[in-house]
Amino acid sequence: MLVKALLLYLVSIMGNSVWLLGDSLLNQPIVMGTLTGLVMGDLKAGIIMGATMELAFIGAVSIGAYDPPDMVVGTILGVAFAIQAGAGPEAALTLGLPVATIMLAINTVKDTPILVWLAHRADKYALEGNYRGIGRIAVLWPMVLYNCLPVVPFAFYFGSDAVVAALDFIPEFVQVGMEAACGIVPALGFAMLAQMIMKKNVAPFFFLGYFMIQYFGLSTTGVAVFAAIIAAIYVLNAKQTAPALSMAEGEDGGGFDDF
């Protein structure tokens, strides 16, 4: 149990390394769930549960001042507890979503005062031209803050048995409700994403893909291939129909010369 707790802590550090490695998407539930399943000895279950939680979090994107729930800790603990209890994706969602929300609140209280102070330090470094100092604040300090509180190993080591025992006593009708919620929550994630990207010129293609799957039995891969072909046709036609920019020979095009 101790070895698994330490390995899960390493997985959480890897998930939070997005600050160090850039937008590597290591913090996504599909990756965290897979690595957690590998640590717990059930890779297949980790992939399935991670993919399910990916659908639930697909619309949770940090935009402006909005911070999404902590997908890293929520996914790791949700998947780990569910596998430990021999439960399915519905248990991973039921356990992971509240944990992710609680961790968001903890991180906000714990990190916000320090991040505000660091922002002022970054302003000072910018005035001094100290780009190394700005780099440390932008890359290293956030990673330290997100990993300084070892929630994952302690929660798994001390709470695993309690969670497994609680899941064993859940009545059947509650388990049925959890399974229903497991199907609804990913749909809400898609709805959140669609609300952000849906426009009049995009909506027809969205419904076209849906009806191709429903009525023609195509796989999502097949629909993706057709979508790529349609996108290529649009791009090629746009290049052919775009008005050519004429410019006298020898005239300086400024910043547009490369195009």
Side-chain angles (χ1 to χ4, degrees):
M1 185 69 72
L2 179 60
V3 174
K4 288 183 178 179
L6 293 176
L7 289 175
L8 291 177
Y9 185 39
L10 293 178
V11 172
S12 69
I13 292 176
M14 183 180 298
N16 288 322
S17 67
V18 65
W19 296 98
L20 184 63
L21 303 177
D23 195 5
S24 56
L25 299 181
L26 288 176
N27 59 336
Q28 293 301 117
I30 184 64
V31 179
M32 293 290 97
T34 301
L35 295 177
T36 301
L38 185 62
V39 171
M40 298 299 296
D42 194 342
L43 180 61
K44 180 179 178 180
I47 295 173
I48 294 173
M49 294 178 185
T52 303
M53 298 195 72
E54 181 77 31
L55 294 176
F57 283 114
I58 196 169
V61 181
S62 179
I63 299 176
Y66 169 73
D67 285 330
D70 192 328
M71 297 183 292
V72 173
V73 177
T75 301
I76 293 174
L77 290 180
V79 172
F81 286 146
I83 292 178
Q84 187 79 1
E90 65 278 359
L93 269 179
T94 303
L95 296 171
L97 290 179
V99 170
T101 304
I102 293 172
M103 281 306 303
L104 171 62
I106 293 175
N107 290 334
T108 300
V109 174
K110 173 175 66 73
D111 299 338
T112 299
I114 301 176
L115 291 174
V116 170
W117 176 76
L118 288 175
H120 290 297
R121 293 290 297 177
D123 291 338
K124 179 177 179 295
Y125 288 147
L127 292 174
E128 297 173 353
N130 185 354
Y131 64 91
R132 293 184 182 274
I134 297 174
R136 288 194 299 270
I137 288 177
V139 176
L140 295 179
W141 273 105
M143 188 172 176
V144 172
L145 290 175
Y146 274 93
N147 292 302
C148 66
L149 193 63
V151 173
V152 170
F154 279 98
F156 178 77
Y157 186 79
F158 294 105
S160 179
D161 293 338
V163 171
V164 171
L167 289 175
D168 289 338
F169 284 99
I170 293 179
E172 184 177 356
F173 72 91
V174 176
Q175 295 182 18
V176 173
M178 290 168 59
E179 293 178 1
C182 183
I184 295 174
V185 173
L188 291 176
F190 268 115
M192 291 171 61
L193 182 64
Q195 187 178 20
M196 290 187 291
I197 67 174
M198 190 65 69
K199 297 179 181 178
K200 289 188 294 185
N201 57 341
V202 176
F205 296 102
F206 174 82
F207 289 106
L208 176 63
Y210 171 78
F211 287 116
M212 287 175 68
I213 293 176
Q214 288 295 110
Y215 289 98
F216 296 103
L218 291 177
S219 65
T220 52
T221 303
V223 173
V225 171
F226 279 108
I229 294 173
I230 294 174
I233 293 173
Y234 262 78
V235 171
L236 293 175
N237 286 339
K239 288 183 177 180
Q240 292 176 358
T241 57
L245 295 177
S246 60
M247 186 170 56
E249 185 177 354
E251 185 178 346
D252 184 12
F256 294 97
D257 279 346
D258 292 337
F259 299 95

